[in-house]
Amino acid sequence: MFLSSVMSWSSLVSWSSVMSWSSLVSWSSVELRPMTMFLLSFLTAFLLLSSTHLTWFLVGVMLMGVAHAVITIKGTHLASHGALSESPTWAKFWAVFFIEICGSFSARAGVQGHIKMHHAHTNIIGLGDSSVWKVPFLSRTIYLFFAPLAVPIITPLVAFAHLRGHSLGLIFRTALTVSLGLYSQYWLLVHVSGFRSPLSALFCMLVCRAMFAVPYIHVNIFQHIGLAMFSPSRRPKRIQQMSHGVLNLPRNLVLDWIFGHSLISCHVEHHLFPFLSDHMCLKVKPIVSKYLLEKQFPYHEDSYWSRLRFFFSRYQELMVFAPPITELVGGQ
């Protein structure tokens, strides 16, 4: 099925040039500024929520939901890659800030799960197969459209579960930073936005934090589950693994802003070159797609709604029962 020689000399030069770009282009200079803008937008939302005018209040809710989603999805993704600073010390600080304080999750578990497991073992059964997103006892309607709304509540609980067996120092720091993030938002809603009832402040937090939870879960499963799966002991070469096990969604103004190109329309490119910025992922996308198709590798692309229909119609097969291991396993 595969070519005996993966690359010709001419294509090797082209492919190597893309790889060299990935080592030269830093994300920090182009991604930290937008994160700063959304952090300021998040703070502005507290002032809008203090308005007695319904329109401005709803604008505040929407602004807080969008800003929180960008910070906790795109921001935590960038931070997990160490992409917000070239300094290791600052990169670690931003990981703690975005993943723990803003995202209510463990920075250590986030980096371990995303970088060392998901990227290293994409679609390898039992390692990077996205099985963490499966809840087989739920019906397809509940799982796809209602269960994600509980993600803001479940996330800190899962974070603390990941800390079992670790040092008291790490447990204390994570508990402190996660609590700081949650309490800070609650405190600002009460003292800046003027919420008089603790329940109303907590409900506002839940609404804002769950605003994009449904597409968050969808994107996580759409781009890997249902594609080729591989055995841990007989995995293919990396280019085969990523081209067969990763899918791009088309460009979308809302999702591109919130998730970033590397998680939406350039996910294949991101898995092949994880250190490319979103901007550079778009630049190399034509080169990557052309190369993979020329070498008879798949280049998976599908629309959001097509994937949603696919998962809804084949939910039992994809999300309840384990996906079958692909026939490509061991194909060298």
Side-chain angles (χ1 to χ4, degrees):
M1 182 177 290
F2 296 105
L3 299 176
S4 57
S5 175
V6 179
M7 302 178 186
S8 65
W9 174 253
S10 60
S11 59
L12 178 61
V13 173
S14 175
W15 192 254
S16 297
S17 65
V18 176
M19 295 183 71
S20 67
W21 291 352
S22 68
S23 63
L24 293 174
V25 179
S26 169
W27 284 14
S28 58
S29 60
V30 293
E31 298 293 357
L32 194 53
R33 288 191 296 272
M35 287 298 103
T36 303
M37 181 187 73
F38 280 104
L39 283 168
L40 294 174
S41 299
F42 186 73
L43 296 175
T44 303
F46 288 104
L47 298 175
L48 292 171
L49 287 171
S50 66
S51 175
T52 57
H53 196 287
L54 180 60
T55 301
W56 288 114
F57 179 84
L58 293 177
V59 170
V61 172
M62 182 61 68
L63 180 60
M64 182 171 288
V66 171
H68 186 270
V70 174
I71 292 165
T72 58
I73 297 175
K74 185 175 181 178
T76 57
H77 183 232
L78 296 173
S80 70
H81 279 276
L84 295 174
S85 177
E86 296 178 2
S87 163
T89 302
W90 275 105
K92 184 176 180 180
F93 168 80
W94 289 124
V96 171
F97 177 79
F98 281 100
I99 300 175
E100 296 187 357
I101 296 178
C102 300
S104 303
F105 197 66
S106 162
R108 185 188 184 283
V111 172
Q112 176 72 24
H114 185 72
I115 304 300
K116 298 183 179 180
M117 295 299 292
H118 177 64
H119 270 277
H121 308 289
T122 303
N123 282 30
I124 303 296
I125 295 289
L127 295 175
D129 61 357
S130 300
S131 57
V132 69
W133 302 111
K134 298 174 187 176
V135 190
F137 60 83
L138 295 178
S139 70
R140 60 185 181 180
T141 301
I142 297 296
Y143 177 84
L144 289 170
F145 302 110
F146 296 101
L149 300 177
V151 165
I153 299 172
I154 296 172
T155 298
L157 300 178
V158 174
F160 292 127
H162 275 289
L163 293 175
R164 279 184 288 183
H166 292 291
S167 67
L168 288 177
L170 180 63
I171 295 173
F172 176 78
R173 187 203 73 191
T174 305
L176 180 64
T177 51
V178 170
S179 300
L180 176 63
L182 293 169
Y183 183 73
S184 296
Q185 186 177 7
Y186 172 81
W187 189 92
L188 288 169
L189 285 172
V190 172
H191 293 88
V192 175
S193 303
F195 282 74
R196 297 180 180 180
S197 165
L199 287 179
S200 64
L202 291 172
F203 181 71
C204 183
M205 287 177 62
L206 179 61
V207 169
C208 294
R209 287 170 175 256
M211 192 173 293
F212 291 92
V214 171
Y216 171 73
I217 293 297
H218 287 179
V219 168
N220 271 281
I221 62 176
F222 287 177
Q223 294 179 315
H224 297 286
I225 294 177
L227 300 176
M229 309 296 290
F230 305 102
S231 164
S233 60
R234 300 177 60 210
R235 66 173 69 199
K237 293 180 180 179
R238 179 176 173 80
I239 190 171
Q240 296 172 357
Q241 178 187 347
M242 299 307 173
S243 62
H244 283 85
V246 187
L247 175 141
N248 284 344
L249 295 171
R251 294 193 66 177
N252 177 289
L253 181 62
V254 175
L255 294 184
D256 280 351
W257 266 101
I258 293 172
F259 289 81
H261 303 303
S262 58
L263 289 179
I264 300 297
S265 58
C266 300
H267 203 51
V268 174
E269 289 74 15
H270 174 61
H271 269 261
L272 287 168
F273 308 110
F275 296 105
L276 282 181
S277 69
D278 275 6
H279 177 71
M280 287 304 298
C281 278
L282 284 176
K283 289 286 188 182
V284 304
K285 183 180 173 73
I287 300 173
V288 172
S289 60
K290 180 181 178 182
Y291 175 82
L292 292 178
L293 294 174
E294 283 180 350
K295 295 303 171 183
Q296 299 181 18
F297 291 113
Y299 185 75
H300 295 296
E301 292 184 292
D302 200 3
S303 73
Y304 187 100
W305 300 114
S306 173
R307 294 299 285 174
L308 182 58
R309 291 193 297 268
F310 175 71
F311 272 79
F312 194 80
S313 63
R314 298 177 60 181
Y315 179 77
Q316 289 290 114
E317 175 189 344
L318 298 172
M319 304 303 294
V320 177
F321 305 110
I325 296 178
T326 177
E327 63 183 19
L328 299 172
V329 167
Q332 300 297 322

